[in-house]
Amino acid sequence: MYVREARPEDSAELQALQAKSTVGKTLILSMVNAPDFFARANAYETYKVFVATKHDRIIGSAACAIRDGLVRGKMHRIGHEFQYFTSTYYRKRRVGSLLRERIEDYLNSEGVDLSYVPILEGNLPGMRLFEGHGFRLHRSLVMPGLAVYKEMDVAATGTIRPIATADLPTVAELLNQTWEGHDLYEPTSADALARFVSRTPEYSFENLLLLEDRGQILACLGFWDWGKLTQITVIAPSRGMRMRGLLMDIAGRLRPMPQFPKAGDQLKQMVLTPIGFKDPRHLAVLLRYVNNQALLAGIQQIFCVCERDHPLLSIMKGFIKVDTDIHLYVKPLQPDFVMGDRPVFLDGIDLQ
């Protein structure tokens, strides 16, 4: 086996391999990057995609991104690892380990202090892989999934509009205030926020909404349509999910209820990023507005990720939601580097 950096011409082969590498337990899913394999990684300013090959055929892939972020109040170079997958035939043959070693070599060559990876609850192979490479569970965050199935009332508080260039400094300051004291957060600026909007695939100023009242920006909320970058197909729901869907179908005869996914369905999902607010009540107005926009676009679920006691969770009353644990694994790459016990920021971009 040989590990090398991925090339543009690998895209179709990687998509075909990815389609066969199912994920999930509650729902068994096939997830394929679109319109090309590298669209997912393009959401990051600095990234690498690696592939493992044998006899000139790709049998696995993994990616990483590098950025700056706060840890215990100081800026550090941070690596984020994502989208590991291996051909079914070559699982348990150290393909994931070879990719992991190659990524760590790259991160070390770039002077990275810490690497992290979010792992979905129940992904025991992923946990074993990273634990075997010196990663440790730092903390578990929560990923609330909100069902989009009915129009929500939107309070008549202020004006909702897309961000404009002139708003960037104020919104950057609002985001920094919202996530102050959170490890792994990278303080932003007007220029950095503009770069985030321009480089993120299928994202524009129209995706970042503001709540404004008498000239004051009270909250901001961005939404990113996963379905335009990842084709998510349901292979099979678990028995528990099928039973829950049956109960929902029965309850739906009396009042509007979400439709539970079935085998063959294409999921349409949205992630919230970035998120900023002065008062959670202001963010609640934007969330309900985004729900209504998602309903018109055929989106079925809205996701975000945060600490279990974050005020963000308080605005979700009235929604049907399912919480999923996101286990944050970290590994210091420099001697004497220690993570603190501060709350942690994880961007919605990192979820897939």
Side-chain angles (χ1 to χ4, degrees):
M1 286 184 281
Y2 171 70
V3 175
R4 61 168 172 82
E5 190 172 343
R7 300 186 287 258
E9 57 267 29
D10 295 326
S11 179
E13 188 176 356
L14 281 166
Q15 287 173 310
L17 178 60
Q18 190 182 23
K20 298 175 183 178
S21 304
T22 57
V23 299
K25 291 186 68 176
T26 304
L27 283 177
I28 300 174
L29 304 173
S30 167
M31 304 176 68
V32 181
N33 296 351
D36 65 76
F37 181 80
F38 301 98
R40 170 68 184 86
N42 286 333
Y44 299 102
E45 208 156 21
T46 303
Y47 69 86
K48 291 283 187 182
V49 178
F50 295 98
V51 295
T53 67
K54 188 167 185 178
H55 304 309
D56 294 325
R57 294 182 58 189
I58 296 174
I59 59 174
S61 181
C64 65
I66 298 176
R67 62 178 179 83
D68 294 328
L70 291 168
V71 178
R72 293 181 294 137
K74 294 183 179 181
M75 294 294 289
H76 292 272
R77 294 274 280 169
I78 295 173
H80 163 50
E81 304 185 30
F82 62 99
Q83 209 157 64
Y84 277 73
F85 61 90
T86 303
S87 165
T88 304
Y89 181 79
Y90 285 97
R91 286 178 182 172
K92 298 184 179 181
R93 300 192 187 191
R94 294 199 72 250
V95 177
S97 289
L98 288 174
L99 289 163
R100 165 87 262 292
E101 290 165 4
R102 180 66 182 85
I103 283 179
E104 184 159 326
D105 287 344
Y106 167 68
L107 296 178
N108 278 323
S109 72
E110 294 295 316
V112 169
D113 298 316
L114 173 83
S115 188
Y116 72 91
V117 57
I119 300 179
L120 197 68
E121 68 177 24
N123 183 359
L124 296 180
M127 296 177 195
R128 286 195 291 266
L129 170 65
F130 285 94
E131 287 172 355
H133 283 263
F135 282 73
R136 294 294 177 262
L137 176 62
H138 180 63
R139 66 199 312 123
S140 293
L141 308 177
V142 62
M143 181 178 71
L146 308 181
V148 177
Y149 67 100
K150 68 174 183 178
E151 188 173 357
M152 310 285 284
D153 292 331
V154 179
T157 300
T159 301
I160 297 173
R161 63 173 177 83
I163 193 173
T165 302
D167 302 315
L168 290 171
T170 303
V171 172
E173 183 180 356
L174 179 62
L175 292 169
N176 292 339
Q177 291 173 353
T178 300
W179 301 104
E180 184 178 5
H182 285 68
D183 277 349
L184 304 187
Y185 177 71
E186 180 178 4
T188 192
S189 65
D191 288 343
L193 189 55
R195 291 198 305 272
F196 166 80
V197 173
S198 65
R199 76 167 179 268
T200 303
E202 301 295 338
Y203 202 96
S204 72
F205 276 21
E206 296 297 318
N207 292 75
L208 182 48
L209 300 174
L210 307 180
L211 177 64
E212 184 180 43
D213 189 26
R214 287 169 286 189
Q216 183 181 16
I217 295 175
L218 304 176
C220 67
L221 187 63
F223 55 93
W224 192 43
D225 187 345
W226 270 344
K228 293 180 179 178
L229 287 178
T230 308
Q231 296 175 353
I232 308 173
T233 305
V234 178
I235 303 302
S238 68
R239 181 177 180 181
M241 181 64 77
R242 291 196 301 270
M243 291 299 297
R244 189 180 299 177
L246 179 61
L247 293 175
M248 284 289 190
D249 288 343
I250 295 172
R253 299 171 187 173
L254 304 176
R255 58 192 176 95
M257 296 294 288
Q259 293 293 316
F260 265 69
K262 300 176 177 60
D265 286 355
Q266 296 281 328
L267 297 187
K268 295 184 178 181
Q269 301 174 328
M270 176 185 288
V271 63
L272 302 177
T273 180
I275 300 168
F277 57 93
K278 294 182 177 180
D279 186 311
R281 293 173 298 177
H282 300 145
L283 191 64
V285 175
L286 284 177
L287 180 61
R288 287 170 171 261
Y289 182 87
V290 168
N291 172 86
N292 296 345
Q293 297 303 301
L295 186 66
L296 293 174
I299 301 294
Q300 298 155 307
Q301 295 97 22
I302 299 174
F303 293 93
C304 62
V305 61
C306 61
E307 293 276 358
R308 295 180 176 280
D309 58 355
H310 197 273
L312 178 57
L313 298 176
S314 68
I315 71 170
M316 298 178 181
K317 294 177 182 178
F319 287 87
I320 292 178
K321 78 180 172 73
V322 176
D323 289 342
T324 302
D325 284 345
I326 298 290
H327 302 305
L328 181 64
Y329 278 78
V330 302
K331 180 180 181 179
L333 300 182
Q334 301 300 330
D336 303 322
F337 185 94
V338 178
M339 281 285 288
D341 195 32
R342 295 186 178 200
V344 171
F345 168 83
L346 195 63
D347 198 321
I349 295 288
D350 293 348
L351 290 179
Q352 286 199 41

